[in-house]
Amino acid sequence: AWSASDRTHRLTDVVLEVPTVPTKVIALAGNYRDHLGPDTPVPEHPQPFYKLPSTLLRHEGEVLQPSEHAGIHYEAEVVVVIGRRAQRISAEEAMSHVIGVTCGNDISARDWQRNDRQWWRAKGSDTFGPCGPWIATGLDVFNLDVTLRVNGEVRQTTNTRNMIHDIPTTVSFISQHVTLEPGDLIFTGTPGKTKSMDIGDLVEVDIQGIGVLRNRLGQR
């Protein structure tokens, strides 16, 4: 439960933390056709994997590239924020369990992703889940423009209408197997092809109706 306060603060006077403290963070693999390889079939149902709450990083926090892995990749994503407990719900019920959406960047270490048996460090290393800056409510989640910029250059662009599995379908599918609790986050997949980043790069995830999630790449 939450309610609006009559207090206001200048953004320059505060630090915006990650918008929730989730019990779990789930992400989707291959949810945009242009992210799949030409020989990769379209998945019949959403393909979730786990990130970790400890992966999450606040708006304007520093993504830390591990010293053992150069050239980590960005992935702009719409992130679903669960507002009400969801267990075995239908797609028609799903949005009543969603409080809103925010911006996310599913940072990925591609060498580890290809060569490890599991994606635990490729997707779940500390700071590999920038999220924020806040939760937006009341948006049309079926029609949101998504853009990612690196040092001002557009690297990714799409609209949520291009998702293979839309947000209600995804929330419903996950809830059949994993109970979603208030504050839990679902990263909904990234479009197109991604590239490696250089230390010092400024990465911005800009989603229509939400705003801009901004993070810089540093070295661990």
Side-chain angles (χ1 to χ4, degrees):
W2 67 278
S3 60
S5 166
D6 60 358
R7 290 176 296 163
T8 61
H9 304 272
R10 294 181 182 274
L11 284 176
T12 53
D13 294 339
V14 299
V15 172
L16 296 175
E17 299 291 353
V18 176
T20 73
V21 181
T23 67
K24 62 190 73 70
V25 181
I26 299 172
L28 294 191
N31 199 33
Y32 288 86
R33 188 67 186 88
D34 62 359
H35 188 66
L36 300 174
D39 300 322
T40 304
V42 173
E44 294 183 7
H45 55 73
Q47 298 293 316
F49 61 91
Y50 290 110
K51 290 175 78 74
L52 297 167
S54 58
T55 298
L56 297 175
L57 177 69
R58 66 174 177 84
H59 171 65
E60 296 186 340
E62 187 178 43
V63 176
L64 296 178
Q65 177 173 273
S67 58
E68 316 94 291
H69 192 301
I72 59 178
H73 285 216
Y74 51 78
E75 291 191 9
E77 309 202 6
V78 174
V79 179
V80 174
V81 184
I82 298 300
R84 188 159 64 93
R85 194 169 193 261
Q87 184 178 50
R88 296 187 179 276
I89 61 171
S90 67
E92 292 72 26
E93 298 173 290
M95 293 310 296
S96 68
H97 293 259
V98 172
I99 192 172
V101 288
T102 189
C103 304
N105 191 348
D106 178 21
I107 302 294
S108 303
R110 297 297 189 211
D111 289 349
W112 292 345
Q113 191 176 356
R114 284 189 293 266
N115 298 316
D116 288 354
R117 188 178 295 271
Q118 300 289 338
W119 291 359
W120 69 280
R121 61 176 177 166
K123 295 282 194 174
S125 290
D126 290 350
T127 76
F128 275 24
C131 184
W134 39 64
I135 302 168
T137 62
L139 300 182
D140 177 5
V141 299
F142 300 99
N143 184 25
L144 298 176
D145 291 329
V146 180
T147 303
L148 181 137
R149 295 181 295 270
V150 177
N151 301 325
E153 176 190 353
V154 174
R155 296 282 186 87
Q156 289 182 290
T157 182
T158 194
N159 186 284
T160 54
R161 62 174 173 268
N162 296 321
M163 286 181 176
I164 295 171
H165 303 288
D166 63 26
I167 287 173
T169 299
T170 295
V171 172
S172 171
F173 178 79
I174 293 172
S175 80
Q176 305 307 310
H177 309 280
V178 175
T179 300
L180 296 167
E181 302 289 352
D184 285 352
L185 301 174
I186 303 172
F187 285 63
T188 57
T190 201
K193 304 306 176 187
T194 64
K195 295 181 180 179
S196 61
M197 297 178 286
D198 296 320
I199 301 302
D201 280 352
L202 180 65
V203 184
E204 296 174 303
V205 179
D206 187 341
I207 300 179
Q208 179 183 2
I210 303 175
V212 179
L213 169 67
R214 185 179 299 107
N215 300 93
R216 195 174 292 277
L217 180 64
Q219 182 76 57
R220 188 167 73 198

